[in-house]
Amino acid sequence: QLESKKLFWNKYSDKFDAIYGTRNTIFNDLINKWFRKTMKIRFEKSIMAIPAANVSVLDIGCGPGHYCFALAKKVSGEILGIDFSQNMINLAAGHARELNLEHKIEFRVGDILKFNPATKYDYAIMMGFIEYFEEPEAILKHALTLTNIKLFISFPVAGGILAFQRKLRYKRRCFLKLYHYEDIADLMDRLNVK
């Protein structure tokens, strides 16, 4: 199943990167205003919550690296972006060069469940990631073992227009799980997370 995920995300990487893009067209401005507002809020709140200090950050499922770039301008510690898609990592590395940030961030292709660094990261970010896995408990459990202080994670909500458009975009191409509050509460209970 991981191989089919890699194949999908390698093919979809350019389109996914455009979601976070800054193409200033009237169409993009309208889409961003009405459909991507929550993505922007999630991004800004996550970045704000990590202190401007010598802290290490792990971005799990980093995609084209946008969280890493914002953090590289803020923190002075190690920043690692990991993704199982080679094309996503290629995009991230290219953006890092364009932004002159390649010396501050490491990008690595890898399976997060097989990633076992010698030391934990102070903070970890897992945005737009867990919903593509059939076994979220294993992903979250391992992510917690990699994190010292705080793990930031997003769970896409089941229901509403945003959920509907995500189902249209992804459901036939790859696994996608949308969450109800009870699903998240049950997952946290099983992992004994408060």
Side-chain angles (χ1 to χ4, degrees), residues 4 12 50 59 74 76 81 102 107 109 157-158 162 176 194:
S4 65
Y12 194 64
I50 296 174
D59 186 355
K74 183 176 182 180
S76 57
E102 69 271 23
F107 289 108
V109 176
V157 176
L162 293 177
L176 174 67
K194 305 294 177 210

Side-chain angles (χ1 to χ4, degrees), residues 122-191:
D122 295 315
Y123 295 90
I125 294 173
M126 192 162 47
M127 300 293 169
F129 183 77
I130 202 164
E131 59 264 37
Y132 302 110
F133 291 87
E134 292 86 343
E135 297 180 16
E137 189 171 341
I139 299 280
L140 187 52
K141 186 176 183 178
H142 189 63
L144 289 167
T145 69
L146 303 173
T147 311
N148 267 330
I149 299 172
K150 193 174 281 189
L151 169 65
F152 298 89
I153 182 169
S154 66
F155 292 94
V157 176
I161 189 142
L162 293 177
F164 178 73
Q165 67 90 18
R166 282 191 88 181
K167 284 180 188 174
L168 287 178
R169 185 185 309 146
Y170 297 115
K171 197 71 170 182
R172 293 187 181 171
R173 301 185 205 178
C174 69
F175 177 84
L176 174 67
K177 177 170 177 51
L178 302 177
Y179 288 81
H180 293 93
Y181 175 82
E182 295 77 19
D183 299 326
I184 300 167
D186 180 57
L187 180 58
M188 296 303 147
D189 284 345
R190 290 198 311 268
L191 291 169

Side-chain angles (χ1 to χ4, degrees), residues 12-24 28 31-32 36 39 64 66 88 91 95 169:
Y12 194 64
S13 57
D14 286 326
K15 288 181 182 176
F16 184 82
D17 188 32
I19 291 172
Y20 282 92
T22 55
R23 297 182 186 121
N24 293 323
N28 263 1
I31 292 295
N32 287 336
R36 297 182 184 145
M39 284 177 66
H66 298 286
M88 287 291 194
L91 281 169
H95 292 322
R169 185 185 309 146

